[in-house]
Amino acid sequence: MIQRERIFSSFSAEDTDEAYFFYKNVLGLQVEKEEMSILTISINEGMRIIIYPKQDHVPATFTVLNIPVTDIEDAVDELSKKGVSFLQYDMPYIKTDQKGISRMENGPSQAWFTDPSKNILSLIQE
């Protein structure tokens, strides 16, 4: 049977030391270093995300982690001050402003950026 309380997500990183610094110090998440250079990000209610090292890492071409925020403007400004660059999109279905924020009429506001391994992450305000 499926053990729902133990479900977790994972993705790879080129350098987990670099990832540890980024996720802990830049994003302010609760990150632990485990054996074999594996990182565990703890989320509420026992949920977790595993980041594992992979020498031939190829970043995903899609968002691997969405981070809910209460005020996307403030969150983008705060991360920009910490050196995070937000991605720019100009496509028929998604456009971002000069800060990198997409403000959809019938959806959430969202801003995408990458971690040190070029995995795509987003801030999302519903």
Side-chain angles (χ1 to χ4, degrees), residues 16 32-40 50-53:
T16 53
E32 300 295 327
K33 289 183 181 180
E34 308 290 341
E35 293 178 22
M36 301 183 336
S37 299
I38 292 174
L39 305 179
T40 300
I50 304 297
I51 302 175
Y52 56 92

Side-chain angles (χ1 to χ4, degrees), residues 13 16 18 23 27 29 40 51 58-59 68-69 77 79-80 97 103 105-107 111 113 116 119-122 126:
T16 53
E18 218 175 26
Y23 285 92
L27 298 183
L29 300 177
T40 300
I51 302 175
V58 175
V69 296
D77 290 345
L79 289 180
S80 293
D97 62 18
R103 302 168 197 280
E105 286 183 32
N106 297 319
F113 59 101
N119 292 308
I120 301 171
L121 315 176
S122 85
E126 298 193 62

Side-chain angles (χ1 to χ4, degrees), residues 13-23 25 33 37 39 53 116:
E14 219 168 39
D15 181 333
T16 53
D17 288 333
E18 218 175 26
Y20 178 82
F21 180 86
F22 180 79
Y23 285 92
N25 297 312
K33 289 183 181 180
S37 299
L39 305 179

Side-chain angles (χ1 to χ4, degrees), residues 68-123:
V69 296
T70 54
D71 186 324
I72 199 156
E73 289 277 342
D74 285 347
V76 166
D77 290 345
E78 181 182 331
L79 289 180
S80 293
K81 288 177 189 172
K82 293 180 176 184
V84 173
S85 296
F86 287 85
L87 302 174
Q88 296 291 320
Y89 294 106
D90 187 9
M91 298 180 239
Y93 58 93
I94 188 164
K95 295 184 186 309
T96 54
D97 62 18
Q98 62 265 46
K99 283 187 168 187
I101 301 172
S102 170
R103 302 168 197 280
M104 297 181 208
E105 286 183 32
N106 297 319
S109 293
Q110 203 162 356
W112 292 267
F113 59 101
T114 60
D115 72 4
S117 293
K118 304 295 181 222
N119 292 308
I120 301 171
L121 315 176
S122 85
L123 300 178

